[in-house]
Amino acid sequence: FDMFVLAFVERLFRPTYRKDDFVVGKKLGEGSFGVVYRATPSKPSSKEGDLVLKKATEYGAVEIWMNERVRRACASSCADFLYGFLESSSKKAPEYWLIWRFEGDATLADLLQSREFPYNVETLILGEVQDLPKGVERENRIIQTIMRQLLFALDGLHSTGIVHRDIKPQNIIFSEGSRTFKIIDLGAAADLRVGINYIPKEFLLDPRYAAPEQYIMSTQTPSAPSAPVATALSPVLWQLNLPDRFDIYSAGLIFLQMAFPGLRTDNGLIQFNRQLKRCDYDLVTWRKSVEPRCGPELRRGFDLLDLDGGIGWELLTSMVRYKARQRLSAKAALTHPFFDREGLLALSFMQ
Ligand code: ADP
Ligand code: MG
């Protein structure tokens, strides 16, 4: 009850926007349910700087709900959401418009594609180029810092009762303001605690990053996909089904891609997924099957994960597991010894 009153009051005092308040700029992306643009406020006097605008179909209603929740409950986990509204000009089909602050130019996917990864991220996070010898130790610290930021953001979402369900490098943006990674694209998310349990058709899930269970709950696909479906799901049910572990699996695959450059391409990842399936989703079995005849690149990835007594590998295998209940929660992962070291912070003091 309190939450709804708070939401109402908060909304009452926040500036509202209309279509004419924005000048639409360059297209940033196009998904199945909307198009994303850069935008600027049309009034030069506006305090808001660069913005991002998503024009979405009927699914936009759910995405606005999720962003409003995040804004109040765990704002630092996701891109800074300003406002969402229904835009129904007479001629066209109704569209939902969603407005965020422009966080920065690079997603983790962009950064992973660079030959410089992970040093390009080190520069972004520390704000300066480090004059230190390159090697797996340093790369491990950078990857540690990225994983910590990602798990921190996920913990925020999960503690709020939201499962993202589309965690992948394309949906992780580097925020230049806070010098941290934030999560974007709540279009496929589910809010289980409050009861907005919208389960869209499975094709919404990206098969490259989806955990084997595919569905976060026993499926309740609504017949009419136009409106959120309210079901009362208690925290008890959350405990039983552990839907948050779906995101943990995806985050584990991102960890893997950071350690192994060969898995950063679509083909590399798809081939890995096939191999893992053949190993009944057991990473240890997968390692045994590839390590004896692996090339220098895979070798280097294993060496990185084996640093400090193999705690990186230990964390990875606690995230990418077949059974959801055997995967660590985001909160538990953050207390894993892999994160005991200071990560990048220590690097900047090493000079
Ligand atoms: P979809 O995947 O449905 O097209 P996203 O919400 O993932 O929509 O946004 C598409 C792209 O737009 C992202 O991959 C990112 O490059 C860019 N983008 C989205 N939100 C922001 C933001 N707040 N700041 C900067 N860029 C963003
Ligand atoms: Mg996206």
Side-chain angles (χ1 to χ4, degrees), residues 27 296 332 349:
K27 193 196 271 191
F349 292 125

Side-chain angles (χ1 to χ4, degrees), residues 27-38 51-54 63 78-80 99-107 110 166 168-174 184-187:
K27 193 196 271 191
L28 292 176
E30 180 157 10
S32 336
F33 305 103
V35 187
V36 179
Y37 303 90
R38 260 187 100 137
L51 305 171
V52 170
L53 159 68
K54 186 183 266 190
E63 199 172 345
C78 296
D80 198 1
I99 312 282
W100 292 267
R101 220 176 286 287
F102 181 83
E103 296 279 0
D105 286 307
T107 65
D110 301 323
D166 198 15
K168 56 183 175 183
Q170 292 78 358
N171 287 337
I172 299 167
I173 188 112
F174 187 77
I184 56 171
D185 202 351
L186 297 164

Side-chain angles (χ1 to χ4, degrees), residues 65 97 122 141 155 187 197 209 216 258 270 272 310 331:
W65 161 271
W97 283 37
E122 181 186 76
R141 286 181 184 239
D155 180 35
N197 182 17
Y209 294 91
I216 48 163
M258 294 199 280
I270 290 166
F272 165 81
K331 204 180 290 302

Side-chain angles (χ1 to χ4, degrees), residues 66 70 74 77-78 147 150-169 171-172 183-192 204-206 208-217 238 241-257 315-316 318-325 327-331 333:
M66 296 297 163
V70 165
C74 55
S77 288
C78 296
M147 282 307 291
L150 173 57
L151 286 164
F152 180 80
L154 274 179
D155 180 35
L157 281 183
H158 294 167
S159 304
T160 307
I162 296 175
V163 189
H164 187 281
R165 299 198 294 175
D166 198 15
I167 291 296
K168 56 183 175 183
N171 287 337
I172 299 167
I183 293 168
I184 56 171
D185 202 351
L186 297 164
D191 187 331
L192 295 148
L204 265 181
L205 301 175
D206 191 318
R208 292 169 304 172
Y209 294 91
E213 68 266 22
Q214 299 285 323
Y215 314 102
I216 48 163
M217 288 278 172
W238 174 285
N241 288 278
L242 300 169
D244 57 314
R245 306 300 203 275
F246 189 87
D247 290 342
I248 296 298
Y249 186 95
S250 310
L253 288 193
I254 296 173
F255 188 8
L256 205 75
Q257 288 187 295
L315 174 63
L316 179 66
S318 310
M319 296 176 74
V320 181
R321 316 192 82 149
Y322 180 75
K323 286 205 173 121
R325 65 181 51 263
R327 295 174 210 147
L328 289 178
S329 67
K331 204 180 290 302

